[in-house]
Amino acid sequence: MRRLLPYPLLTASLLVMWVLLNDLTSGHVLLGAVIAISASNVMARLQPQKPRIRRWLSIPQLIAIVAADILRSNIAVARLILRQKHVRRVSGFVTIPLDLRDHTGLSVLACIVTSTPGTAWVEYDSARSTLLLHVFDLVDEGEWIDLIKNRYERLLMEIFE
Amino acid sequence: MSAVILFWSLLVAQILLAVAMAIATFRMVRGPRAQDRILSLDALYVSAMLLLLVFGIRTGSTLYFEAALVISLLGFVSTVALAKFLMRGEVIE
Amino acid sequence: MSHAADIPVWAAVLTAFFVLVGAGFTVIGALGLLRLKTFYERMHAPTLGSTWGAAGVLIGSIIFFSVLQSRPVLHEALIAVFVTVTTPVTLMLLARAALYRDRAERNPEVPGRAKAQSDDE
């Protein structure tokens, strides 16, 4: 089983993608399964670092938090853009020390932070493990550090470490 | 009734997305720097992809979906390549 | 638009709402691209279009085609996944490229390398 399916998650998502692109018929499921299994075996030859997920239960919670945050900051940033001339707004860089070390966790954090309007991941210094963040509406630096560390980083550390 | 609702809302959505594309094009021509142009190109292809999807709803054809998928993938690759070029190519002037 | 008459009013209203919300967010994001002053500020604007802008249009499309063909049509979800995974990657690369260029030109508005920063703190 382990030899046939070295990356079960990758195989499953490839199969889902195949079925979504075509139709849900037994022929397509079979063809998709063959393609997904062979593709994940090719992937195994490349020997990428395998991410380990420790707590599956926290993933839906993370997705819900992120979706709600993205919606909220979408509205906040849209309002700021529309009232650009009337509002005094300062944007700037914030340096945040991170405790998260796992590579997959860091890339997920980077995707979350960047796809949320209002914050953008600029640079990660792996030697000092600090993150340089650009914030659109920077009122209080401590608030943003607190948000990243307590809201996302804690959950990601639960999932990946 | 539903035809009227869809006709007007899709028309407005198409106009909005076309305006978004026009603004992105303007920023792309205006610059001022290379990173601004690449950023606008990114915004331009996302709006173009959404415009194609709205076309798809308007005509009731799923053919546009494939075009939108190709645009989103090619746009990603081209933006990554251009960003990489900024890091490695033009810096040594 | 003959096919549009076949779908019930509630589906038409939902589709119209989501598509308009998506197009609205996208155009506001583009407006931000036009109005904001510096590159790092402008970097935040297109994320509006690529998160809920794209999500709105895609949800509208999923509702419309699912009702029209009276079966779940979910392939738009693939575009949503691609967009949510790819946009942060491009923006991060672009931000790093911009930071690199600004540092090479010694632009005073960007923070220096981590070492230099710890010196003045």
Side-chain angles (χ1 to χ4, degrees):
Chain A
M1 197 62 190
R2 183 143 269 250
R3 281 196 55 134
L4 192 65
L5 292 174
Y7 296 97
L9 207 60
L10 177 72
T11 315
S13 26
L14 280 174
L15 178 59
V16 168
M17 193 181 109
W18 186 268
V19 169
L20 281 177
L21 279 175
N22 297 290
D23 297 318
L24 185 58
T25 55
S26 49
H28 273 305
V29 172
L30 199 67
L31 187 56
V34 169
I35 287 171
I37 289 172
S38 26
S40 57
N41 277 294
V42 172
M43 185 77 176
R45 289 288 164 84
L46 294 175
Q47 297 179 325
Q49 198 187 25
K50 196 169 179 176
R52 263 190 309 209
I53 299 178
R54 297 210 188 271
R55 280 193 55 189
W56 291 87
L57 285 175
S58 302
I59 295 178
Q61 194 193 348
L62 183 70
I63 292 176
I65 288 180
V66 170
D69 281 359
I70 288 181
L71 182 59
R72 225 180 26 205
S73 49
N74 256 306
I75 294 168
V77 172
R79 191 174 289 155
L80 284 173
I81 289 174
L82 290 178
R83 288 162 56 199
Q84 165 78 2
K85 295 223 170 75
H86 311 289
V87 188
R88 286 237 359 111
R89 178 182 50 76
V90 182
S91 66
F93 293 93
V94 184
T95 312
I96 299 176
L98 288 181
D99 298 316
L100 186 69
R101 292 286 183 280
D102 185 80
H103 287 285
T104 321
L106 281 172
S107 25
V108 173
L109 182 64
C111 282
I112 291 173
V113 166
T114 311
S115 60
T116 311
T119 50
W121 177 287
V122 181
E123 192 183 45
Y124 176 69
D125 183 356
S126 57
R128 299 155 55 90
S129 65
T130 54
L131 155 70
L132 188 64
L133 195 72
H134 188 264
V135 180
F136 187 63
D137 186 18
L138 184 66
V139 182
D140 177 19
E141 270 189 39
E143 198 179 308
W144 288 100
I145 296 177
D146 184 57
L147 180 90
I148 300 288
K149 286 201 81 72
N150 290 328
R151 208 171 165 85
Y152 305 127
E153 195 191 8
R154 201 169 40 80
L155 260 178
L156 284 168
M157 282 174 84
E158 270 177 31
I159 296 174
F160 289 106
E161 283 187 354
Chain B
M1 180 65 187
S2 50
V4 177
I5 294 171
L6 275 180
F7 176 79
W8 285 105
S9 61
L10 295 182
L11 186 69
V12 171
Q14 279 177 321
I15 291 171
L16 287 179
L17 288 171
V19 168
M21 284 177 73
I23 294 173
T25 314
F26 176 74
R27 178 52 88 184
M28 190 163 71
V29 172
R30 179 111 178 273
R33 303 199 61 199
Q35 53 262 44
D36 287 299
R37 294 176 211 266
I38 299 176
L39 188 70
S40 328
L41 184 69
D42 196 74
L44 182 68
Y45 86 73
V46 171
S47 329
M49 184 200 78
L50 295 181
L51 189 59
L52 268 181
L53 284 171
V54 178
F55 263 124
I57 301 179
R58 201 180 165 88
T59 52
S61 145
T62 49
L63 266 181
Y64 290 98
F65 162 77
E66 262 105 60
L69 196 65
V70 170
I71 287 187
S72 70
L73 290 178
L74 282 183
F76 166 64
V77 175
S78 62
T79 321
V80 167
L82 284 169
K84 206 75 196 163
F85 176 71
L86 277 196
M87 292 276 279
R88 298 275 175 255
E90 209 197 300
V91 178
I92 308 160
E93 284 172 314
Chain C
M1 290 298 282
S2 58
H3 63 279
D6 303 340
I7 81 166
V9 175
W10 64 266
V13 169
L14 270 182
T15 308
F17 171 76
F18 278 113
V19 168
L20 282 178
V21 165
F25 271 130
T26 312
V27 84
I28 291 172
L31 211 61
L33 211 57
L34 186 71
R35 291 174 92 172
L36 298 175
K37 299 282 185 292
T38 68
F39 170 77
Y40 295 99
E41 284 183 1
R42 284 198 281 268
M43 206 168 64
H44 297 285
T47 49
L48 282 176
S50 64
T51 51
W52 275 93
V57 175
L58 290 167
I59 292 171
S61 176
I62 289 176
I63 294 172
F64 180 79
F65 283 110
S66 299
V67 173
L68 189 70
Q69 305 183 359
S70 41
R71 70 187 176 91
V73 179
L74 291 175
H75 58 202
E76 277 88 353
L78 279 180
I79 292 190
V81 170
F82 286 143
V83 169
T84 44
V85 173
T86 56
T87 313
V89 176
T90 56
L91 286 180
M92 257 180 282
L93 276 172
L94 214 50
R96 287 191 56 195
L99 193 68
Y100 183 79
R101 297 185 79 192
D102 278 340
R103 277 177 182 165
E105 292 167 8
R106 301 187 187 284
N107 186 335
E109 277 172 23
V110 300
R113 295 218 165 274
K115 197 156 168 272
Q117 201 179 9
S118 69
D119 286 345
D120 43 51
E121 264 173 13

